[in-house]
Amino acid sequence: MLRTHTCGELTRDHEGTAVTLCGWVQNWRDHGGLVFVDLRDRYGITQVVFNPQSHPDVHAVARTLRSEWVIQVSGRVVLRPSDMVNPNIATGDIEVRADALKILNRSKTPPFEPSAFDLPNEELRLKYRYIDLRRPVLRDALVLRHKLTQAARNYFDRHGFLEIETPMLGRSTPEGARDYLVPSRVHPGSFYALPQSPQLYKQILMVAGLDRYYQIARCFRDEDLRADRQPEFTQIDVEMSFVERDDILQIIDGLVAEMLEAVGRSAPSLPLPRYSYAEVMERFGTDKPDMRFGMELVDISSIVANCEFGVFRNTIESGGRVRGLNAPQAAEKYSRRIIDELTRFVGDFGAKGLAFFRVKDGALDSPIAKFFDSETQQAIIRTMDARPGDLLFFVADKDAVSSPALAALRNRLGRELQLYDPNDLNVLWVIDFPLFGWNEDERRWDAEHHPFCFPVVEDIPLLETDPGAVRAQSYDLVCNGCEAGSGSIRIHDPEVQGKVFALLGIDAAEAERRFGFLLEALRYGAPPHGGIALGLDRWVMLLSGLTNIRDVIAFPKTQRAADLMTGAPSPVDERQLRELHIRVDLPAD
RNA sequence: GGGGCCGUAGCUCAAUUGGUUAGAGUACCGGACUGUCGAUCCGGGGGUUGCGGGUUCAAGUCCCGUCGGCCUCGCCA
């Protein structure tokens, strides 16, 4: 080893020790006499002092050091004078008096410095990712990520799970997300697809009798990106045989507790709370509620059904509802201009308007308050549990519009009004999802989770009569309003599978063409089984307090799915295309 | 595919209503300085205002297009 210690470990206890450190020059301060260097590695920062009297040759070289040069320093650990301790770094009690210095490598002047106070734009950071990754916040996220996967591996190993790899080159199954395709050289005109998830493989592993499977699995989806979505991402993928829903929830409860413990968070009380889909949709308007704060949705339809305000009355007459929420003590904080902005905000979700009332002098204050008689106003105040200074918002529409709009508004207000501690963690289950959702555009049923999800047994007869009422044996793990895991008990009975496919508009021939290999496998002794996948990247975000998925992935892609460091994707040689039997047909212009 | 924000020195930003030679901090280069830790002080170099076009006596500023980055709706079983 070129070093005896790291830059993060020396303390008072090492006083007098001869050490050799390696690292990057984070900063240097040349006093003409003494030269100070802040030496950084993965573990921390240590101050090195070069003295012209004791080691003039070494000192002369030290004066030439520049940012991000890589050096090896030998010297003795000394205590700093008490008034020169640096409380900002872990090694601030000591410094290393250098008696030898070797420049291991020089650096071009970096385009930005990892210690900079003003971060450069993300484009530059992504191009020089290796410099950005020297910053503690990104380094810490990768460390936390490692701890999480390590905790998961330990946990699964203790519980008898096998880590099994599944193919990256698989068969395209056209539903779900868009596939990333890989052309086959030896099968002209045929393509592999990168896995959107190992879903079908893991079910087949259960048919094979492997019983308990897990994998830290890379998944690929060619869809538009978001702050929390990358084209390739990682799932902690799990499947178990001979289990019922509660068995999965229980095993994942334990995993969550272990992961939180591994990163130094306090253990959640188990079992994690479980809420039905119907309940959270009614109370929060979303299937991934952030329960770190209240501000629940309230239905005032019955109060305003006969009011003078046409928008409310007409909405209710045509089968919609008027629902809203109470932003506590926000009446003064939100000006008309900001409320107009909130109106545009809910408009993004299709809401045609946002009614608001300030609660003032025991009544409602608003441009539309005149449409509500005093009795109605009092009823609204009572129902909304409103106090003077509160600000009430309402959206009148069918639930399909008002729920997402109000849920987004609730999240935004909760954050802006600081209704919760951002360091809190709130983890919960949502269960009893509907098996199908009605696709209005295409006039048909879609699988809410995926087509292999088992119905609640007592609901199976409803498949024939009322598909929309059939509940699924599926479950989502929700953390701080973020979908952090999703799974289900699978269909292991070909007959039930056939009925579900039929409802989804997939006839036998079509099913055979798309999933024949799975259906065939299910006919050879498939055990009852089920599983779940946790979004690793999102867990790292949540536990790091970061809001951007790029910050928890070593080499992420931009919103247009490009890697600015390597230049991927890129055109390829004509010869490569010929070998793959591919002719590129670019759109004109 | 739609909506929004952004692009000026290596970097972070400024530049009045369209008006002088596009500035500051930092980084970089040279010099001074023996206890700094966002060191300090003195001096210096550094610009295709993303790119292309247009309007104008005059464009960093206005208009059109385009490229790139971010946020977001749709999309993501």
Side-chain angles (χ1 to χ4, degrees), chain A residues 437-485:
Chain A
W438 180 249
N439 184 329
E440 187 62 42
D441 291 339
E442 305 190 23
R443 309 286 302 163
R444 61 178 173 85
W445 296 104
D446 280 343
E448 190 75 23
H449 181 50
H450 60 57
F452 317 108
C453 178
F454 204 72
V456 170
V457 174
E458 64 196 70
D459 292 353
I460 288 179
L462 295 172
L463 285 173
E464 323 275 354
T465 57
D466 187 4
V470 177
R471 288 166 297 167
Q473 294 199 47
S474 65
Y475 27 83
D476 276 6
L477 190 59
V478 177
C479 181
N480 291 2
C482 184
E483 183 189 313

Side-chain angles (χ1 to χ4, degrees), chain A residues 122 137-138 141 226-229 292 415 420 422 482 537-538 540-552:
Chain A
E122 194 160 0
V137 61
L138 294 196
R226 287 285 188 283
D228 63 349
R229 266 168 27 194
R292 286 176 296 179
R415 186 177 61 248
Y420 56 86
C482 184
D537 314 280
R538 288 184 181 170
V540 180
M541 281 172 68
L542 289 162
L543 295 172
S544 306
L546 297 170
T547 53
N548 190 310
I549 198 169
R550 293 182 297 280
D551 288 347
V552 303

Side-chain angles (χ1 to χ4, degrees), chain A residues 227-490:
Chain A
D228 63 349
R229 266 168 27 194
Q230 279 276 301
E232 55 180 309
F233 61 99
T234 305
Q235 291 185 340
I236 301 177
D237 196 42
V238 184
E239 197 76 5
M240 304 169 73
S241 290
F242 307 114
V243 290
E244 297 175 309
R245 184 192 68 188
D246 286 5
D247 300 308
I248 306 269
L249 301 194
Q250 195 185 328
I251 206 93
I252 299 302
D253 276 355
L255 172 67
V256 169
E258 186 136 331
M259 291 198 311
L260 295 192
E261 190 188 349
V263 299
R265 309 291 290 233
S266 56
S269 70
L270 299 183
L272 295 170
R274 303 171 186 181
Y275 300 90
S276 75
Y277 173 87
E279 179 181 352
V280 296
M281 286 305 292
E282 185 59 28
R283 290 174 58 191
F284 303 97
T286 173
D287 59 5
K288 39 179 190 257
D290 188 343
M291 293 203 196
R292 286 176 296 179
F293 63 104
M295 203 162 68
E296 298 186 16
L297 274 46
V298 179
D299 183 355
I300 61 163
S301 302
S302 61
I303 299 171
V304 297
N306 297 308
C307 72
E308 301 290 315
F309 189 52
V311 173
F312 281 9
R313 208 178 53 238
N314 295 339
T315 298
I316 294 166
E317 280 167 9
S318 57
R321 296 200 285 169
V322 178
R323 291 187 296 162
L325 46 79
N326 178 354
Q329 297 305 299
E332 300 296 325
K333 292 177 193 158
Y334 284 75
S335 66
R336 183 56 194 269
R337 195 179 58 79
I338 297 176
I339 292 172
D340 286 345
E341 210 290 303
L342 292 177
T343 306
R344 282 191 294 278
F345 177 71
V346 296
D348 288 344
F349 299 86
K352 291 181 282 292
L354 181 65
F356 69 93
F357 302 92
R358 293 192 173 86
V359 183
K360 195 173 167 188
D361 303 328
L364 299 180
D365 178 32
S366 162
I368 58 167
K370 58 186 177 223
F371 297 113
F372 301 86
D373 61 35
S374 124
E375 192 180 329
T376 305
Q377 292 195 10
Q378 291 310 312
I380 291 173
I381 288 173
R382 216 164 37 244
T383 307
M384 301 300 295
D385 195 20
R387 289 159 220 284
D390 289 351
L391 179 57
L392 310 180
F393 290 105
F394 296 96
V395 173
D397 215 311
K398 56 190 179 194
D399 287 5
V401 170
S402 60
S403 289
L406 285 167
L409 180 65
R410 175 177 173 272
N411 282 337
R412 176 169 169 172
L413 293 174
R415 186 177 61 248
E416 288 181 359
L417 295 169
Q418 299 175 7
L419 298 183
Y420 56 86
D421 176 350
N423 294 316
D424 272 357
L425 274 184
N426 173 260
V427 191
L428 57 94
W429 290 103
V430 176
I431 59 175
D432 289 339
F433 279 77
L435 189 60
F436 305 108
W438 180 249
N439 184 329
E440 187 62 42
D441 291 339
E442 305 190 23
R443 309 286 302 163
R444 61 178 173 85
W445 296 104
D446 280 343
E448 190 75 23
H449 181 50
H450 60 57
F452 317 108
C453 178
F454 204 72
V456 170
V457 174
E458 64 196 70
D459 292 353
I460 288 179
L462 295 172
L463 285 173
E464 323 275 354
T465 57
D466 187 4
V470 177
R471 288 166 297 167
Q473 294 199 47
S474 65
Y475 27 83
D476 276 6
L477 190 59
V478 177
C479 181
N480 291 2
C482 184
E483 183 189 313
S486 183
S488 64
I489 300 298
R490 325 296 183 188

Side-chain angles (χ1 to χ4, degrees), chain A residues 27-280:
Chain A
N27 194 14
W28 80 95
R29 294 172 290 282
D30 183 349
H31 285 244
L34 293 178
V35 171
F36 299 92
V37 166
D38 295 335
L39 191 64
R40 182 195 68 240
D41 65 12
R42 186 183 120 193
Y43 308 92
I45 294 171
T46 300
Q47 173 165 284
V48 182
V49 191
F50 297 90
N51 189 304
Q53 250 102 58
S54 58
H55 297 86
D57 298 353
V58 175
H59 174 263
V61 177
R63 297 192 75 179
T64 70
L65 295 175
R66 291 296 179 270
S67 282
E68 302 306 310
W69 289 21
V70 186
I71 62 173
Q72 179 190 45
V73 178
S74 297
R76 202 160 288 278
V77 178
V78 299
L79 294 184
R80 297 194 193 190
S82 62
D83 54 336
M84 286 156 199
V85 164
N86 183 346
N88 299 318
I89 57 175
T91 61
D93 285 337
I94 58 95
E95 61 194 9
V96 172
R97 298 227 168 126
D99 50 45
L101 167 64
K102 184 176 180 189
I103 295 171
L104 297 174
N105 216 340
R106 289 163 214 271
S107 168
K108 290 173 68 179
T109 299
F112 63 96
E113 296 190 21
S115 57
F117 283 79
D118 293 316
L119 275 184
N121 70 57
E122 194 160 0
E123 205 171 339
L124 197 75
R125 291 172 47 204
L126 288 170
K127 180 175 177 188
Y128 297 97
R129 186 63 169 174
Y130 35 85
I131 294 174
D132 206 21
L133 286 172
R134 290 175 190 167
R135 294 167 48 226
V137 61
L138 294 196
R139 173 200 67 201
D140 291 348
L142 291 180
V143 170
L144 187 144
R145 186 177 181 116
H146 165 79
K147 286 179 178 168
L148 279 189
T149 53
Q150 209 58 26
R153 287 198 160 100
N154 288 335
Y155 180 81
F156 287 126
D157 182 56
R158 279 207 320 279
H159 288 81
F161 287 77
L162 302 176
E163 181 171 9
I164 301 173
E165 292 162 278
T166 54
M168 302 296 271
L169 297 177
R171 186 193 167 96
S172 174
T173 53
E175 48 288 308
R178 200 175 292 116
D179 282 325
Y180 275 100
L181 296 178
V182 179
S184 164
R185 176 178 58 85
V186 295
H187 297 277
S190 286
F191 294 81
Y192 302 98
L194 302 181
Q196 296 178 24
S197 79
Q199 181 63 36
L200 303 182
Y201 293 110
K202 67 176 176 174
Q203 290 192 236
I204 290 172
L205 286 171
M206 296 302 102
V207 179
L210 276 308
D211 195 77
R212 288 184 168 211
Y213 144 95
Y214 84 98
Q215 182 180 193
I216 312 295
R218 192 69 62 84
C219 305
F220 304 85
R221 294 178 189 176
D222 186 4
E223 296 292 347
D224 286 350
L225 277 59
R226 287 285 188 283
D228 63 349
R229 266 168 27 194
Q230 279 276 301
E232 55 180 309
F233 61 99
T234 305
Q235 291 185 340
I236 301 177
D237 196 42
V238 184
E239 197 76 5
M240 304 169 73
S241 290
F242 307 114
V243 290
E244 297 175 309
R245 184 192 68 188
D246 286 5
D247 300 308
I248 306 269
L249 301 194
Q250 195 185 328
I251 206 93
I252 299 302
D253 276 355
L255 172 67
V256 169
E258 186 136 331
M259 291 198 311
L260 295 192
E261 190 188 349
V263 299
R265 309 291 290 233
S266 56
S269 70
L270 299 183
L272 295 170
R274 303 171 186 181
Y275 300 90
S276 75
Y277 173 87
E279 179 181 352
V280 296

